Amino acid sequence: MKRSEHAAAIAARLATDLFQAEASQDEAVNQLGRLAQSLTLSRREAGLSSTVGQAAFDALAEAVAAQVGAQRAMVALHEALADVKRSTFYRRVPLGGLTKGDRPIPRPSALALIS
């Protein structure tokens, strides 16, 4: 395998794993949001005071803060990997064609008028 092919394979594997990790983090945030809704609804349906179970809400807030911190770290990871790419022979490795998932986020290609 040529060096360029080897480098492309490494970069593609790394990008795929990175995108999967990001998707997992997004799903964790979604699940925490659902849990927050469920806690609130369950307490209300049970007829409990808003002071009951506050420790659970506090712990959930800590979990959300930790997840946001993890997302911040992923941004730093992206920047660090971009620095590696720019400062090594990997800068010549094209990463086009990689998708972040089965349903990529639509990106507007032109300005839209809002009325």
Side-chain angles (χ1 to χ4, degrees):
M1 180 182 289
K2 291 183 187 177
R3 182 176 175 172
S4 61
E5 291 171 348
H6 184 67
I10 291 170
R13 182 185 64 231
L14 183 58
T16 297
D17 291 345
L18 182 62
F19 296 154
Q20 287 177 350
E22 289 174 334
S24 294
Q25 285 186 314
D26 288 345
E27 183 56 27
V29 170
N30 288 336
Q31 291 295 332
L32 289 170
R34 285 187 204 108
L35 179 56
Q37 291 176 330
S38 183
L39 284 173
T40 303
L41 181 61
S42 298
R43 183 169 63 182
R44 189 178 314 136
E45 286 178 351
L48 300 173
S49 163
S50 61
T51 60
V52 174
Q54 186 57 45
F57 283 93
D58 292 342
L60 178 61
E62 287 181 36
V64 169
Q67 187 60 45
V68 169
Q71 288 177 319
R72 188 177 305 108
M74 289 301 288
V75 169
L77 176 58
H78 269 280
E79 292 168 356
L81 289 172
D83 288 344
V84 168
K85 184 174 184 197
R86 280 190 296 271
S87 64
T88 66
F89 65 89
Y90 284 91
R91 69 183 164 276
R92 293 187 183 94
V93 177
L95 292 177
L98 296 177
T99 61
K100 287 192 173 187
D102 296 333
R103 297 176 302 177
I105 298 170
R107 307 233 186 256
S109 58
L111 294 176
L113 295 176
I114 300 173
S115 54

